[in-house]
Amino acid sequence: MKEVSILDKRFSEFISEESIEQRITQLAEQINSEMDGREVIFLGILNGAFLFAASLFRQIKIDALISFVKLASYEGTGTTGRIKELIGWNEDLKGKTVIVIEDIVDTGGTVERVVDELKMRKAADIRIAALLFKPDAYKRNITIDYVGFNIPDNFVVGYGLDYNGHGRNLPSIYTLVNS
Ligand code: IMP
């Protein structure tokens, strides 16, 4: 089993790069067929979603735009409960179909915050795509429309996800080894 050390913690490989890319291709195909004929704005949530957004978006064949907003809710390996301000809203979203791209949906606080903001901006149809979803940690009612992988409620890094800013460049997803 492949293991890596990041700062003071050890992580072991959990989802391979190949499995991630295969799953993203399937999600892109599903979006291409479900959204056929529509103009869609993809909205990536920085920093964590940048790799997932890039891989997904380059496989999108319909007429599509992409934009990014930034916020942060996490420090270290535990949620702080604080959600910082959202910055970078440049697009006119009124009446538009928006697909939010998240790296991971954990408690759902981030997604809820983004969806509230999209409703205020009068987006007509809001969908959520998340590479990873932790159903056991999820505390909201918003449907996650496109899920890459359902995972247990353990801390993960890689493929854009970080531990205190580190590990985003790992090509696969790694899970925390409890020692
Ligand atoms: P939520 O608001 O609780 O759903 O958390 C969403 C955000 O927390 C994600 O966009 C990530 O940035 C971060 N996050 C949640 N779980 C993890 C994890 O296991 N590893 C790294 N970041 C995480």
Side-chain angles (χ1 to χ4, degrees):
M1 173 99 50
K2 260 196 250 172
E3 285 203 357
V4 291
S5 290
I6 303 174
L7 303 174
D8 58 334
K9 305 228 180 292
R10 282 188 308 123
F11 293 84
S12 63
E13 192 177 41
F14 175 50
I15 309 174
S16 70
E17 181 178 11
E18 194 190 5
S19 309
I20 297 167
E21 294 304 341
Q22 274 174 8
R23 184 70 189 118
I24 295 174
T25 298
Q26 290 172 345
L27 291 178
E29 283 167 1
Q30 191 185 345
I31 292 170
N32 285 330
S33 84
E34 287 182 15
M35 296 289 137
D36 192 27
R38 296 206 209 180
E39 184 189 294
V40 175
I41 300 185
F42 287 83
L43 187 73
I45 312 300
L46 294 174
N47 294 326
F50 74 107
L51 287 179
F52 175 39
S55 179
L56 182 73
F57 192 67
R58 70 176 171 224
Q59 300 182 71
I60 293 298
K61 308 271 192 286
I62 54 170
D63 189 13
L65 307 178
I66 188 163
S67 187
F68 291 87
V69 292
K70 180 162 180 156
L71 55 81
S73 68
Y74 242 73
E75 275 164 21
T77 55
T79 184
T80 61
R82 278 183 290 125
I83 294 193
K84 295 173 191 164
E85 119 187 76
L86 286 147
I87 50 171
W89 298 91
N90 298 320
E91 311 295 326
D92 177 11
L93 301 172
K94 194 167 173 202
K96 302 282 172 63
T97 297
V98 180
I99 300 183
V100 177
I101 307 180
E102 259 278 44
D103 53 352
I104 182 165
V105 174
D106 184 7
T107 64
T110 306
V111 153
E112 184 179 66
R113 172 81 192 270
V114 173
V115 166
D116 283 349
E117 189 81 32
L118 287 169
K119 284 183 178 158
M120 264 165 46
R121 288 162 195 271
K122 308 259 186 293
D125 188 1
I126 303 165
R127 311 234 174 159
I128 314 292
L131 180 60
L132 304 173
F133 179 46
K134 292 180 179 172
D136 297 339
Y138 193 56
K139 297 193 177 71
R140 306 298 199 282
N141 294 318
I142 298 164
T143 303
I144 311 302
D145 305 275
Y146 306 104
V147 174
F149 302 90
N150 285 316
I151 64 165
D153 188 8
N154 296 327
F155 191 79
V156 290
V157 291
Y159 208 89
L161 289 107
D162 73 305
Y163 168 46
N164 278 352
H166 296 261
R168 292 194 199 276
N169 51 332
L170 290 167
S172 352
I173 290 173
Y174 287 73
T175 191
L176 183 64
V177 176
N178 292 308
S179 46

